Amino acid sequence: MNISILNNILTGANIAIGGAAGNIYGLIIEANTIYNNSTSQSIDVGSTDDHDFEGVAIKGNVINGGLNNGIRVYTPNATITGNTVENKNTHGIVIMPTCDYATITGNICKNNGVVGSGNGIDVQGTYALIADNICFDDKGTQNHGIRLEAGAIAPRLYNNITYGNENYGIRNDITGQHYYL
């Protein structure tokens, strides 16, 4: 099943695909604008037991304000590119432990972590490529620009720009593994 969610404007709502959605090949979430969603993540793809997704592309979306994370992905081989995520309560983009081989490129994550310890990009999955992103804070809210969580394995980071974050531009919590910065 192919699904495309394109060019929508949502205020106080979110986009969530997972659970009972079944086998999905070619999910595209593109060019949507989401303001102040009042439920869960702004864009939420998959769940802890969903491995029935292939070809997930989340690109060119604009997310501003609202609860929890901007973009949260559980499914492997996801591409997250060209999105702008700002003023989220927690993380701008979070790659969950089951999201292996994610490609995260060309995103802007700004002023996330509004009510807690949020990062621009938070990586928990394995073998992620994180390149050409800009993660910054000019309000004193975003904890780290990019955080590599302890469970992440062998991420590759290239040409990212981070500045003004509360603590680190890139924080590495990985121990005993190879990674490329």
Side-chain angles (χ1 to χ4, degrees):
M1 171 188 340
N2 292 314
I3 297 176
S4 296
I5 303 170
L6 310 170
N7 300 310
N8 298 287
I9 298 173
L10 295 96
T11 300
N14 69 333
I15 296 170
I17 305 290
N23 294 332
I24 296 177
Y25 305 96
L27 171 62
I28 298 171
I29 302 173
E30 182 176 2
N32 298 287
T33 302
I34 303 173
Y35 296 108
N36 297 315
N37 68 294
S38 58
T39 59
S40 194
Q41 322 328 299
S42 296
I43 296 176
D44 198 10
V45 178
S47 66
T48 56
D49 59 355
D50 274 335
H51 298 284
D52 296 332
F53 290 80
E54 282 295 327
V56 173
I58 302 170
K59 54 188 180 177
N61 298 286
V62 175
I63 299 168
N64 193 331
L67 297 177
N68 295 328
N69 305 298
I71 297 171
R72 180 175 72 176
V73 180
Y74 286 91
T75 61
N77 301 307
T79 299
I80 302 162
T81 188
N83 300 286
T84 299
V85 184
E86 59 184 301
N87 301 312
K88 293 301 297 178
N89 282 356
T90 51
H91 308 305
I93 298 171
V94 60
I95 303 305
M96 300 305 288
T98 55
C99 182
D100 300 327
Y101 299 98
T103 301
I104 306 142
T105 59
N107 299 288
I108 298 170
C109 295
K110 174 183 175 186
N111 300 332
N112 295 293
V114 172
V115 297
S117 181
N119 305 309
I121 298 173
D122 191 81
V123 179
Q124 301 171 27
T126 60
Y127 308 109
L129 170 63
I130 303 110
D132 303 315
N133 299 288
I134 301 171
C135 299
F136 70 100
D137 187 340
D138 59 12
K139 292 184 179 178
T141 60
Q142 191 163 276
N143 198 21
H144 310 298
I146 299 171
R147 183 173 184 182
L148 307 174
E149 297 281 358
I153 297 173
R156 295 163 293 147
L157 284 79
Y158 302 101
N159 303 319
N160 296 289
I161 298 170
T162 68
Y163 60 92
N165 297 288
E166 284 293 291
N167 288 300
Y168 301 105
I170 298 174
R171 178 174 174 158
N172 175 25
D173 290 330
I174 300 171
T175 57
Q177 301 173 27
H178 295 285
Y179 51 89
Y180 305 92
L181 299 176

